[in-house]
């Protein structure tokens, strides 16, 4: 399996003629009855070797961290982070293996967070862990920036953003009284999700044809933004005692999110909100039949609706796009 970046680099290296690359993309679009943009490609596994290397890397990281942690907890995180960086030099920078690159990225940023947490005085007994977690999140975000500068793994930007979101959520426990923590957490999640979504759209709009690595960066950012936006929004329906009213509200919200997903041509927000739609429809059908029958009916309804949307994605997206202002329409993916 080859990514759009691989095709572009083959053209630059002279291994593939530009005309051949255009013909290849056109052939794939005709075969799939969909444009390359609508396919929302991202590379995760290119062969079983990706899984094999990822499993081996996890074992090496766990072993190195475990041995070093026997001397000091912070040394465990530092050792695993250094090993992850070293392995990335081989499997990310040189061999460009997708799944191992993501595993090593997550291991590196996570271990940097762990090391910073263990070294900060705020992590000690009697201290406020929120402050330590916030500082560790900022340190992990900076580590993700360094990783991006070196390896350019598309998921890195989302990993750094996730570290900053974790830092913001940690500060809520420090600054907000206990009785208001839940509301503050939801508000912080929503604002963070909106900010991440804005950054994702900035990357997306810089590559409308989704032919470069910038589109992959946007994909991972959308994947992070979706649950941060969706959970606070759908939490508003959690206190409703009337299942039909709650289901109507959830369905309306899901439809609005679906319109946004169609406009920006990203399915992440629909996937993130799926669990809430399933729960709402299950409450509606809970009056009928046994538990297994209710679950089967819920799954059948939602699954059929999503398959129908997938089959007519281009048609539905065309209707949404035509309803938008011309200046906005011209900036979105074609």
């Amino acid at each position: 399996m080859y990514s759009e970046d691989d095709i572009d680099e083959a053209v630059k290296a002279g291994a593939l003629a530009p005309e051949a690359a255009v013909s290849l993309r056109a052939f794939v679009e005709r075969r799939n009855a969909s444009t390359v943009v609508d396919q929302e490609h991202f590379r995760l596994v290119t062969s079983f070797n990706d899984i094999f290397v990822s499993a081996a890397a996890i074992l090496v990281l766990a072993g190195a961290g475990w041995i070093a942690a026997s001397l000091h907890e912070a040394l465990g995180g530092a050792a695993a982070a250094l090993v992850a960086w070293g392995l990335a030099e081989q499997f990310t920078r040189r061999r460009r293996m997708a799944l191992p690159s993501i595993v090593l990225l997550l291991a590196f940023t996570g271990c940097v967070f762990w090391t910073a947490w263990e070294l900060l005085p705020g992590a000690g007994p009697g201290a406020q862990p929120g402050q330590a977690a916030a500082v560790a999140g900022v340190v992990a975000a900076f580590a993700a920036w360094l990783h991006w500068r070196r390896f350019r793994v598309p998921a890195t930007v989302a990993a750094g953003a996730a570290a900053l979101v974790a830092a913001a959520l940690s500060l809520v426990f420090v600054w907000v009284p206990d009785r208001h923590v839940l509301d503050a957490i939801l508000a912080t999640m929503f604002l963070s999700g909106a900010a991440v979504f804005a950054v994702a759209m900035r990357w997306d709009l810089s590559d409308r044809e989704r032919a470069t690595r910038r589109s992959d960066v946007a994909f991972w950012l959308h994947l992070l933004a979706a649950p941060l936006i969706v959970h606070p929004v759908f939490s508003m329906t959690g206190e409703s005692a009337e299942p039909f009213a709650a289901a109507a509200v959830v369905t309306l919200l899901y439809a609005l999110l679906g319109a946004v997903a169609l406009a920006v041509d990203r399915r992440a927000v629909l996937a993130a909100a799926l669990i809430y739609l399933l729960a709402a429809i299950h409450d509606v059908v809970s009056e009928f039949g046994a538990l297994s029958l209710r679950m089967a009916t819920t799954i059948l309804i939602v699954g059929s609706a999503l398959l129908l949307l997938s089959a007519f994605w281009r048609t539905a997206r065309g209707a949404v796009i035509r309803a938008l202002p011309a200046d906005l329409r011209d900036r979105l993916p074609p």
Side-chain angles (χ1 to χ4, degrees), residues 62-145:
W66 197 338
I67 292 173
S70 63
L71 302 176
H72 191 280
E73 290 292 334
L75 287 178
L82 289 174
V83 171
W85 186 284
L87 292 175
E89 291 288 346
Q90 170 66 20
F91 296 106
T92 301
R93 188 171 175 83
R94 294 184 60 186
R95 299 185 60 181
R96 302 189 62 190
M97 301 180 71
L99 182 60
S101 297
I102 296 172
V103 170
L104 293 172
L105 160 68
L106 296 178
F108 175 74
T109 53
C111 290
V112 168
F113 181 93
W114 175 18
T115 303
W117 166 272
E118 291 294 336
L119 291 177
L120 289 168
Q128 292 186 355
Q131 293 178 344
V135 175
V138 174
V139 173
F142 178 73
W145 177 78

Side-chain angles (χ1 to χ4, degrees), residues 255-270 313 317:
L256 292 175
L257 291 173
V260 174
L262 286 166
V264 302
D265 206 11
R266 291 291 186 183
R267 297 162 177 82
V269 66
L270 294 178
W313 181 268
R317 184 166 187 266

Side-chain angles (χ1 to χ4, degrees), residues 5-332:
D5 279 345
D6 291 329
I7 296 176
D8 291 336
E9 291 185 5
V11 172
K12 292 179 182 178
L16 185 67
E19 297 79 8
V22 173
S23 299
L24 175 61
R25 290 188 173 105
F27 167 75
V28 173
E29 290 179 3
R30 290 192 302 270
R31 184 193 63 184
N32 297 337
S34 179
T35 63
V36 171
V37 172
D38 285 338
Q39 291 299 309
E40 203 171 352
H41 289 291
F42 79 102
R43 186 170 60 173
L44 185 61
V45 177
T46 55
S47 67
F48 186 77
N49 193 37
D50 285 51
I51 301 175
F52 184 79
V53 171
S54 298
I58 291 173
L59 293 176
V60 171
L61 292 169
W66 197 338
I67 292 173
S70 63
L71 302 176
H72 191 280
E73 290 292 334
L75 287 178
L82 289 174
V83 171
W85 186 284
L87 292 175
E89 291 288 346
Q90 170 66 20
F91 296 106
T92 301
R93 188 171 175 83
R94 294 184 60 186
R95 299 185 60 181
R96 302 189 62 190
M97 301 180 71
L99 182 60
S101 297
I102 296 172
V103 170
L104 293 172
L105 160 68
L106 296 178
F108 175 74
T109 53
C111 290
V112 168
F113 181 93
W114 175 18
T115 303
W117 166 272
E118 291 294 336
L119 291 177
L120 289 168
Q128 292 186 355
Q131 293 178 344
V135 175
V138 174
V139 173
F142 178 73
W145 177 78
L146 293 177
H147 196 280
W148 168 258
R149 297 285 294 179
R150 178 65 175 173
F151 301 109
R152 301 284 177 174
V153 178
T156 308
V157 180
L164 292 177
V165 171
L169 293 174
S170 300
L171 289 176
V172 170
F173 293 95
V174 179
W175 294 340
V176 178
D178 292 342
R179 63 182 182 275
H180 298 306
V181 164
L182 181 58
D183 292 336
I185 286 291
L186 292 177
T188 304
M189 287 181 64
F190 180 80
L191 293 175
S192 299
V196 174
F197 179 79
V199 175
M201 288 306 303
R202 183 179 179 87
W203 284 89
D204 248 345
L205 296 180
S206 68
D207 181 21
R208 293 181 65 240
E209 299 292 337
R210 294 185 179 168
T212 69
R213 186 182 287 112
R214 294 192 296 274
S215 175
D216 295 334
V217 172
F219 169 83
W220 292 104
L221 286 169
H222 280 294
L223 206 61
L224 172 63
L228 293 174
I229 295 173
V230 164
H231 180 69
V233 170
F234 281 92
S235 294
M236 295 187 302
T237 65
E239 298 179 357
S240 175
E242 175 55 49
F244 286 95
V249 173
V250 169
T251 303
L252 177 60
L253 290 173
Y254 197 83
L256 292 175
L257 291 173
V260 174
L262 286 166
V264 302
D265 206 11
R266 291 291 186 183
R267 297 162 177 82
V269 66
L270 294 178
L274 185 58
I275 186 64
Y276 300 95
L277 184 63
L278 286 169
I281 295 179
H282 178 266
D283 289 341
V284 171
V285 301
S286 62
E287 303 296 330
F288 311 99
L291 176 61
S292 59
L293 181 59
R294 298 198 303 265
M295 290 298 298
T297 303
T298 302
I299 293 171
L300 178 62
I301 293 173
V302 175
S304 300
L306 292 180
L307 283 176
L308 191 63
L309 176 62
S310 178
F312 295 96
W313 181 268
R314 292 185 68 187
T315 303
R317 184 166 187 266
V320 171
I321 289 295
R322 285 191 294 272
L324 297 175
D327 56 342
L328 178 59
R329 183 168 59 240
D330 293 339
R331 298 180 63 189
L332 292 172

